[in-house]
Amino acid sequence: MDDLKRNYSSKFLADVEVQTKENSYPAHKIVLCARSPVFKVMMSNDMKEKNSDSILVDDMEDDTVQQLLLFIYSDNLEDLQWESAIKLYYAADKYQIEKLRLICSAFLIDNLSTSRATELLFLADTHSDFDLKKEVEDFILDHDQQVFGSEEWEKLIEASPLLALKTMHLKYKT
């Protein structure tokens, strides 16, 4: 992994650019394909990326793309924080990088608080991550008064009333 990380850092024989709205990052098609089934499909099927030297990633910020690429090359995350874990979870799910998704999920669960529970519940539901959702639901039920009485919960009721209702219903299910 150290050798791969060095090749990434030095841009040695890079043959593709991962482009965000603001920057581009040299990478290696073979490494991206080896680590992500989504990149593999992009590079091997009749998609525009197959015959191009660039992959457009316009739905992620630069720091998220950099952390994603660093993980792809090093199998390691450094200095993970709540916001970056949320963004990397999205990236991991999008590109089907299961190990990264599990690392982010574990970090988010370990750092869950009553003020963050609603955000994580919505994320888990949006990505159909039933294991993560169950963990968050259990946490919410253990801290129901703080969560259900919060401003964040009010926002969830407006944004996703069915999710809020189903979660609250768990409190009274036998």
Side-chain angles (χ1 to χ4, degrees):
M1 284 301 194
D2 289 340
D3 292 334
L4 283 176
K5 189 175 174 184
R6 266 192 298 282
N7 278 342
Y8 171 67
S9 297
S10 71
K11 303 171 184 133
F12 183 70
L13 295 178
D15 57 357
V16 68
E17 295 277 332
V18 178
Q19 295 182 323
T20 64
K21 290 177 184 174
E22 297 179 12
N23 288 306
S24 63
Y25 303 93
H28 304 84
K29 290 179 182 180
I30 192 72
V31 176
L32 298 179
C33 291
R35 300 284 287 170
S36 164
V38 173
F39 283 131
K40 186 174 185 178
V41 167
M42 292 167 100
M43 301 295 178
S44 59
N45 291 343
D46 287 331
M47 297 179 78
K48 64 183 176 187
E49 292 84 3
K50 179 180 179 182
N51 299 317
S52 172
D53 291 334
S54 67
I55 300 169
L56 181 60
V57 181
D58 60 359
D59 58 343
M60 291 181 217
E61 297 171 3
D62 287 346
D63 61 327
T64 304
V65 171
Q66 285 178 310
Q67 286 181 296
L68 173 66
L69 289 170
L70 192 58
F71 180 82
I72 286 173
Y73 280 84
S74 69
D75 206 39
N76 190 27
L77 286 176
E78 296 173 6
D79 193 33
L80 195 58
Q81 302 295 318
W82 182 266
E83 287 303 316
S84 61
I86 293 280
K87 292 172 184 176
L88 283 168
Y89 178 95
Y90 168 83
D93 192 53
K94 178 181 178 180
Y95 293 108
Q96 297 177 3
I97 304 172
E98 185 64 16
K99 184 175 180 181
L100 178 58
R101 192 183 65 77
L102 290 172
I103 290 169
C104 291
S105 180
F107 175 87
L108 293 166
I109 290 166
D110 288 346
N111 292 279
L112 189 54
S113 67
T114 56
S115 64
R116 295 173 169 167
T118 304
E119 177 184 21
L120 194 54
L121 177 67
F122 189 75
L123 179 79
D125 187 66
T126 302
H127 290 271
S128 301
D129 187 336
F130 302 109
D131 294 334
L132 179 59
K133 187 175 178 184
K134 174 76 170 106
E135 291 280 343
V136 179
E137 288 170 341
D138 290 346
F139 179 89
I140 289 172
L141 294 178
D142 288 343
H143 302 87
D144 60 325
Q145 289 185 340
Q146 297 99 320
V147 175
F148 293 156
S150 71
E151 191 175 308
E152 293 86 5
W153 192 260
E154 293 291 328
K155 290 177 184 174
L156 180 68
I157 290 171
E158 289 180 26
S160 185
L162 187 58
L163 176 60
L165 175 67
K166 286 181 177 181
T167 305
M168 291 180 93
H169 184 251
L170 293 172
K171 174 89 174 140
Y172 301 102
K173 265 178 118 175
T174 54

